[in-house]
Amino acid sequence: MSARTRPRFLMCPPDYFRIEYEINPWMNKAVQNDRANSVAQWRGLKTLLEELGCEVAEVTPVEGLPDLVFTANAAMVFGNRAFISRFRHGARQGEEPIFADWFEQDGWDVIRLADDMSFEGAGDALFCGETLFAGYIFRSEVRAINWVADQIERRVIPLQLTSEQFYHLDTCFCPLSDESAIYYPPAFDQYAQAALRAHIPELIAVEKDEADRFACNAVVIDRHVVLNTGCPVLETQLRDRGYIPHATPLDEFLKSGGSAKCLTLRLNS
Ligand code: ARG
């Protein structure tokens, strides 16, 4: 795709978003999100993306599927192929046919993984340059990651995650360009940290307080970086390197273990 292609994202309005179950340490059914504020924060993110020149496509929300808002987990897209997620937890498996239908109707080549492999799409599989970096242990499995990498004939670097709070790769790692990325080192085992250092020339380490604000869960559009509020140190590091950070409040989604990146899926490159 040419550099001029308008960035296109998939999002899902938070009509039915709430904390209905607990599948990561951020989720606590006793700490519910505020409905009106969730809608306001989600709209703020969508508007910001549109102001940055992006097109936003929407999946229709479905009652009983509160995490459908986290479209990063819909699939991993590559060219015109959409590898639909196979969720680890039963609570999210109902999302699979909804996302598959959306991709079908949008004209994609829809690919389903075998039933016995879990894979959570762009939550765990991110390109930095030509290489696919994939997180495993909590949600996606190495077998699934290798299978997907085989299909697209790309080198994959599997990264073992170590902290339940950073259960998806996109909660602790964010490619900025072909040669640089943001990451939170303690979320990776020693081998994974070494692999990241070996393959990515410029790594920006995020500090704990900001990692806990989901600083790594950012949406990158050329030099623009959209992220949750409360990450001033990372914002400065980004500005020093010529990036333009845009902070937007997303606390309601943090209650479910998600932020800017989780709420979006980039559909083109
Ligand atoms: N509550 C959701 C879950 O636990 C949050 C998903 C966040 N998505 C992401 N790409 N990190 O699955």
Side-chain angles (χ1 to χ4, degrees):
M1 241 162 259
S2 84
R4 287 168 181 235
T5 308
R6 191 173 172 206
R8 184 169 184 242
F9 287 91
L10 181 64
M11 292 181 72
C12 174
D15 301 26
Y16 304 109
F17 170 64
R18 55 193 302 277
I19 317 302
E20 269 177 33
Y21 44 78
E22 297 169 3
I23 56 171
N24 71 53
W26 303 89
M27 301 175 90
N28 177 350
K29 287 193 279 183
V31 184
Q32 284 300 328
N33 58 302
D34 177 273
R35 285 248 163 183
N37 202 31
S38 304
V39 172
Q41 293 191 342
W42 184 88
R43 287 202 183 129
L45 174 64
K46 182 182 179 214
T47 304
L48 183 50
L49 294 179
E50 287 170 342
E51 283 167 1
L52 292 171
C54 306
E55 180 196 335
V56 177
E58 289 185 14
V59 179
T60 308
V62 176
E63 194 167 1
L65 296 177
D67 281 343
L68 203 65
V69 291
F70 298 113
T71 52
N73 301 125
M76 185 199 89
V77 301
F78 184 80
N80 192 43
R81 281 181 277 178
F83 292 88
I84 307 296
S85 290
R86 279 258 177 249
F87 287 93
R88 171 73 178 265
H89 298 288
R92 292 199 67 182
Q93 286 165 359
E95 298 175 38
E96 294 167 15
I98 309 293
F99 286 131
D101 279 356
W102 186 87
F103 279 100
E104 200 82 61
Q105 288 185 10
D106 199 56
W108 294 73
D109 182 4
V110 173
I111 297 158
R112 308 296 303 261
L113 276 77
D115 280 340
D116 63 349
M117 293 199 262
S118 65
F119 174 70
E120 299 204 353
D124 272 329
L126 298 169
F127 280 96
C128 189
E130 299 284 289
T131 304
L132 182 62
F133 290 85
Y136 68 94
I137 222 79
F138 300 111
R139 299 297 182 88
S140 301
E141 291 172 294
V142 178
R143 250 167 5 110
I145 286 164
N146 287 334
W147 186 82
V148 170
D150 254 14
Q151 306 302 304
I152 62 171
E153 298 180 337
R154 282 299 169 93
R155 174 171 69 164
V156 63
I157 310 281
L159 303 166
Q160 185 170 327
L161 306 177
T162 53
S163 159
E164 289 206 31
Q165 273 173 302
F166 302 98
Y167 56 93
H168 273 143
L169 181 63
D170 69 0
T171 65
C172 50
F173 175 70
C174 173
L176 288 169
S177 72
D178 287 0
E179 306 197 322
S180 61
I182 304 166
Y183 80 136
Y184 180 52
F188 296 93
D189 77 355
Q190 293 302 322
Y191 291 105
Q193 288 184 33
L196 287 168
R197 285 193 300 265
H199 292 284
I200 303 176
E202 185 182 36
L203 282 170
I204 302 176
V206 161
E207 57 181 50
K208 184 182 184 306
D209 285 357
E210 298 196 356
D212 287 345
R213 297 279 305 155
F214 268 43
C216 298
N217 200 249
V219 182
V220 181
I221 305 143
D222 295 321
R223 304 302 284 179
H224 298 277
V225 183
V226 174
L227 75 174
N228 190 20
T229 54
C231 307
V233 176
L234 177 61
E235 284 194 42
T236 303
Q237 287 173 304
L238 289 170
R239 272 192 212 95
D240 288 349
R241 289 166 172 82
Y243 290 93
I244 306 149
H246 301 268
T248 189
L250 291 165
D251 298 84
E252 298 298 344
F253 298 95
L254 222 61
K255 294 173 187 166
S256 188
S259 186
K261 163 67 173 57
C262 304
L263 290 166
T264 61
L265 177 68
R266 179 75 180 254
L267 295 168
N268 54 7
S269 51

